[in-house]
């Protein structure tokens, strides 16, 4: 089935460690996005990529890094510089600009 | 900027009643809007979209209204059912269609 796969669903890490969240899509979409969601709040854009080998910072990029080496993959690294990394992370993709975006099921990251 | 600390407003409706969820958007140049539904612990799901050359669009039990003059969107759900209980977000394509930006969201609770 076509879709967006985020893994793992739950992730626990010790404070000070970098951690990478996986996002893979087989929809042949050009654009991919990462959002952060805190409990009881909305979605905030971390990074986005409109095309392979290119990406831009969103509204809350500090403490995060991404790469887009392949069209189908857009991994997000949460670095030790992120002050409060515990959150629900959502990846999305779209065929291009100004179209429907499809979401994965999210990764819940807990830093202890 | 960040909206840390803000919590989502809640709309409580009786099963069978109609629901109206409102959203204010920020960018007068936005020309495509989407409503998403998010159930607990899951990624957002597409409900309905509307382009700026339209004032109204109807789907199955849902209607979206767009008022460009006051930059306001609304989602109307007819005959609300318990399965409609979720968080609802509006989203707009910003920065010339490069970024999908989400509104604050509304929690819909359906009372049986």
């Amino acid at each position: 089935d076509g879709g967006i796969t985020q893994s793992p669903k739950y992730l626990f890490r010790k404070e000070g460690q970098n951690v990478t969240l996986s996002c893979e899509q087989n929809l042949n979409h050009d654009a991919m996005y990462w959002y952060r969601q805190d409990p009881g709040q909305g979605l905030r854009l971390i990074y986005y990529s409109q095309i392979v080998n290119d990406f831009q910072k969103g509204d809350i990029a500090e403490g995060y890094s991404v790469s887009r080496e392949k069209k189908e993959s857009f991994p997000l690294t949460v670095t030790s510089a992120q002050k409060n990394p515990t959150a629900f992370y959502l990846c999305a993709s779209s065929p291009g600009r100004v179209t429907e975006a499809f979401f994965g099921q999210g990764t819940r990251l807990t830093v202890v | 900027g960040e909206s840390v600390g803000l919590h989502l407003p809640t709309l409580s409706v009786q099963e069978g009643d109609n629901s109206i969820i409102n959203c204010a958007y920020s960018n007068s140049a936005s020309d495509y809007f989407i409503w998403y539904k998010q159930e607990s612990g899951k990624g957002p799901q597409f409900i309905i979209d509307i382009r700026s050359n339209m004032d109204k669009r109807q789907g199955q039990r849902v209607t979206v209204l767009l008022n460009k003059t006051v930059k306001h969107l609304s989602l109307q759900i007819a005959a609300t059912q318990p399965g409609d209980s979720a968080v609802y977000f509006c989203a707009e394509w910003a920065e010339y269609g490069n970024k999908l930006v989400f509104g604050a969201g509304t929690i819909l609770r359906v009372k049986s």
Side-chain angles (χ1 to χ4, degrees), chain A residues 2-51:
Chain A
I4 301 174
T5 302
Q6 291 188 242
S7 61
K9 187 170 183 179
Y10 299 96
L11 189 55
F12 295 87
R13 278 296 182 268
K14 291 184 178 180
E15 194 172 341
Q17 290 183 334
N18 291 357
V19 60
T20 298
L21 281 60
S22 170
C23 179
E24 303 278 331
Q25 53 99 359
N26 60 6
L27 300 168
N28 199 34
H29 287 173
D30 285 320
M32 297 186 75
Y33 314 85
W34 273 106
Y35 291 88
R36 170 182 172 137
Q37 187 174 33
D38 292 287
Q41 298 186 33
L43 281 71
R44 294 182 287 168
L45 184 63
I46 305 172
Y47 268 98
Y48 61 103
S49 169
Q50 293 292 339
I51 198 168

Side-chain angles (χ1 to χ4, degrees), chain A residues 9 31 33 35 37-45 48 50 56-60 88 90 92 94 96-106 108, chain B residues 1-8 31-32 34 36 38 41-46 49 51 87 89 93 95-105 107:
Chain A
K9 187 170 183 179
Y33 314 85
Y35 291 88
Q37 187 174 33
D38 292 287
Q41 298 186 33
L43 281 71
R44 294 182 287 168
L45 184 63
Y48 61 103
Q50 293 292 339
Q56 284 78 41
K57 293 181 179 180
D59 300 317
I60 56 165
F88 189 47
L90 287 157
S94 66
R97 298 165 55 247
V98 200
T99 61
E100 180 185 346
F102 299 82
F103 281 83
Q105 290 303 297
R108 190 167 298 280
Chain B
E2 296 191 3
S3 60
V4 176
L6 296 178
H7 291 273
L8 304 178
D31 58 4
Y32 181 68
I34 308 173
Y36 283 93
Q38 185 181 28
K42 297 184 178 180
Q45 293 177 288
F46 173 89
D49 58 2
R51 296 200 179 266
V87 181
F89 294 98
W93 282 98
E95 289 197 10
Y96 310 102
N98 287 312
K99 291 169 55 174
L100 183 61
V101 177
F102 281 74
I107 299 170

Side-chain angles (χ1 to χ4, degrees), chain B:
Chain B
E2 296 191 3
S3 60
V4 176
L6 296 178
H7 291 273
L8 304 178
T10 300
L11 174 65
S12 293
V13 299
Q14 197 67 39
E15 181 179 359
D17 287 351
N18 296 337
S19 303
I20 300 177
I21 300 170
N22 296 304
C23 176
Y25 63 92
S26 56
N27 188 348
S28 58
S30 296
D31 58 4
Y32 181 68
F33 304 89
I34 308 173
W35 278 100
Y36 283 93
K37 172 185 180 183
Q38 185 181 28
E39 297 176 333
S40 181
K42 297 184 178 180
Q45 293 177 288
F46 173 89
I47 302 173
I48 192 168
D49 58 2
I50 189 167
R51 296 200 179 266
S52 59
N53 60 354
M54 304 172 71
D55 297 321
K56 178 179 179 179
R57 189 163 189 224
Q58 289 184 292
Q60 188 176 9
R61 278 202 310 119
V62 294
T63 300
V64 55
L65 300 178
L66 174 63
N67 185 331
K68 296 181 286 293
T69 303
V70 295
K71 294 189 286 186
H72 183 268
L73 277 167
S74 68
L75 177 70
Q76 300 178 1
I77 304 174
T80 312
Q81 302 167 1
D84 294 327
S85 293
V87 181
Y88 290 81
F89 294 98
C90 67
E92 62 177 304
W93 282 98
E95 289 197 10
Y96 310 102
N98 287 312
K99 291 169 55 174
L100 183 61
V101 177
F102 281 74
T106 298
I107 299 170
L108 177 64
R109 295 195 201 281
V110 182
K111 299 175 286 186
S112 298

